[in-house]
Amino acid sequence: MIAPRIEIDLNKIGQNVNCLRKQFGSKGIELMGVTKVIGGNVAIARVLAKNGINVLADSRMRNIRKMRRAGIKSIFVLLRSPMMSQALEVVKFVDISHNTEYEVIKRLSEISLKRHTKHKVILMLELGDLREGILPGDILDFTEKVLDLKGISLVGIGANLACFGGIEPDDRNMNALSAIVSQIEKRFDLELTYVSGGSSANYNWSRSTKNIDKINYLRLGEAIFLGREPLQRLAIPGLNTDAFTLIAEVIESKTKPSMPYGNSCQDSFGELQHFEDEGMMKRIILGVGRQDVRISGLTPRRSIEILGASSDHLIINKKKQKIEVGQELSFDMNYSALLTAMSSPYIKKVVL
């Protein structure tokens, strides 16, 4: 088969979805399936929909268009705040968008009115992670202005944590979100459909909290696809952590010095490398590199050591393993590696 490639086990993904829906469903929380890490892969998206995830969320319009045109029956949510230049496309292809800027929402409203429709929005609240979000002190006035827009339907309030700032979802910030939602619903006589408390990073909070309060939706990607929670990257009990496998082919196998020789300067990525002299080393090179995948996110499934990589070559100490040219090696990927590999046009995606 062609290498490098990612082998995707749809059955394991489906099993993860069912397990997570049961776990979160027991607390009264529904799931949005986040498809950005898989590049909107249609086969995988169909598995999510088939196994009961009715809302698919992505940050890229290209992915949403691809899934919608493939006939996937779902509510599609744009995760990233829309660019002003995307407004027409968002109204045409997206059911709900996450928003933080009034002028963008106003533009969405204008386009919706011209198309004789209403665009649904979830307002994102800033709770400490300092990525996107409206400050809590501004949210009531902001909501009032949005409710005056005739082409907009406010359907939810959300928050993002453990992404840019690495702030953990806990009872304190989740209770704050619920309290603000209660204020909004009471002041404006609303019942919001979506109170989106966060992502896979909310797994530990959801298992330990005694009261989810208003939180009724979470946006899950890593938990579904890698079977892990993002705070410590620990495996979630009962889930598959090997639904995705990166496979690369050996293109060179030789015994070489462990220490480069000659005058040392920057490498091809502008970095200064440091090497320890370990004598002669049995080394192999694989036909995959930093242009394809984030190398630091790879874990070999054999007892070998990743030494480093250039744009097209992955250099490995094969230690005592018997590995020859033409053989294939398998790797697990963390979230960042999966994201880059699934986005790479140079890595074939093979559905099992």
Side-chain angles (χ1 to χ4, degrees):
M1 292 185 70
I2 294 175
R5 67 182 182 274
I6 296 174
E7 294 187 347
I8 305 165
D9 192 321
L10 297 182
N11 288 331
K12 290 182 177 179
I13 294 171
Q15 290 164 10
N16 285 359
V17 169
N18 286 318
C19 185
L20 288 165
R21 286 188 64 230
K22 289 177 183 176
Q23 289 188 26
F24 285 106
S26 68
K27 288 288 186 83
I29 297 174
E30 296 188 60
L31 306 182
M32 294 184 186
V34 176
T35 55
K36 65 179 181 179
V37 73
I38 59 167
N41 183 284
V42 170
I44 301 174
R46 284 201 177 101
V47 170
L48 303 188
K50 179 182 177 181
N51 285 278
I53 293 186
N54 301 316
V55 183
L56 297 179
D58 207 295
S59 57
R60 310 284 173 163
M61 284 302 306
R62 179 178 178 179
N63 294 342
I64 291 174
R65 290 197 310 270
K66 179 168 62 175
M67 291 184 287
R68 189 178 283 283
R69 286 169 173 165
I72 294 173
K73 304 300 181 184
S74 172
I75 297 169
F76 285 99
V77 176
L78 180 63
L79 284 175
R80 185 167 65 184
S81 301
M83 302 177 199
M84 191 77 81
S85 58
Q86 288 180 319
L88 175 59
E89 191 178 20
V90 170
V91 172
K92 285 176 65 176
F93 291 100
V94 175
D95 300 296
I96 306 168
S97 61
H98 287 185
N99 284 268
T100 62
E101 288 292 337
Y102 176 74
E103 290 302 319
V104 174
I105 303 173
K106 182 180 176 182
R107 181 64 180 145
L108 294 171
S109 175
E110 292 168 353
I111 293 172
S112 296
L113 289 174
K114 289 180 181 179
R115 296 177 62 86
H116 306 290
T117 186
K118 274 196 171 188
H119 182 69
K120 297 174 183 177
V121 300
I122 293 174
L123 299 182
M124 295 298 286
L125 188 68
E126 177 58 69
L127 289 180
D129 202 59
L130 296 182
R131 200 180 72 177
E132 83 279 28
I134 302 158
L135 292 170
D138 298 332
I139 190 65
L140 291 178
D141 290 342
F142 195 101
T143 300
E144 186 171 23
K145 289 171 64 178
V146 169
L147 290 173
D148 285 338
L149 297 173
K150 299 189 184 302
I152 294 297
S153 177
L154 177 61
V155 297
I157 301 291
N160 177 72
L161 292 160
C163 203
F164 173 72
I167 301 301
E168 179 182 7
D170 55 25
D171 278 337
R172 179 190 58 80
N173 44 45
M174 290 298 98
N175 289 343
L177 175 58
S178 290
I180 290 170
V181 169
S182 294
Q183 289 179 39
I184 292 171
E185 290 184 329
K186 183 177 180 180
R187 178 166 170 175
F188 301 107
D189 191 26
L190 293 173
E191 185 174 349
L192 296 170
T193 303
Y194 302 93
V195 181
S196 183
S199 64
S200 298
N202 286 62
Y203 176 80
N204 293 333
W205 165 79
S206 72
R207 305 307 294 169
S208 63
T209 189
K210 294 181 173 58
N211 180 20
I212 65 167
D213 205 352
K214 289 282 187 176
I215 313 300
N216 63 1
Y217 266 89
L218 291 176
R219 310 177 298 273
L220 300 192
E222 185 162 355
I224 291 173
F225 300 122
L226 296 178
R228 297 181 182 275
E229 53 79 25
L231 299 180
Q232 304 297 329
R233 258 71 201 196
L234 298 177
I236 296 173
L239 298 192
N240 300 296
T241 59
D242 58 350
F244 293 82
T245 303
L246 176 67
I247 297 175
E249 184 176 333
V250 177
I251 61 174
E252 179 180 295
S253 178
K254 297 183 184 300
T255 299
K256 293 184 178 182
S258 56
M259 190 84 170
Y261 44 91
N263 294 326
S264 181
C265 300
Q266 295 181 9
D267 67 11
S268 58
F269 286 85
E271 299 168 357
L272 290 172
Q273 299 290 352
H274 174 74
F275 298 90
E276 297 290 339
D277 190 352
E278 302 177 38
M280 298 302 285
M281 180 182 290
K282 294 180 179 179
R283 298 156 65 102
I284 55 174
I285 297 177
L286 301 176
V288 68
R290 292 168 70 169
Q291 189 172 356
D292 308 298
V293 63
R294 186 169 183 177
I295 302 301
S296 61
L298 299 180
T299 301
R301 291 187 181 168
R302 294 179 66 167
S303 182
I304 55 180
E305 176 189 6
I306 295 177
L307 298 173
S310 64
S311 55
D312 310 301
H313 302 79
L314 181 61
I315 299 94
I316 284 177
N317 175 6
K318 67 179 181 179
K319 298 184 176 180
K320 296 181 180 180
Q321 299 288 313
K322 186 177 181 181
I323 302 172
E324 303 299 336
V325 171
Q327 283 185 242
E328 293 183 336
L329 298 183
S330 299
F331 297 82
D332 288 312
M333 293 174 284
N334 68 9
Y335 188 84
S336 64
L338 180 63
L339 178 67
T340 52
M342 288 296 292
S343 301
S344 172
Y346 306 110
I347 296 182
K348 185 174 179 61
K349 285 74 180 178
V350 178
V351 172
L352 303 182

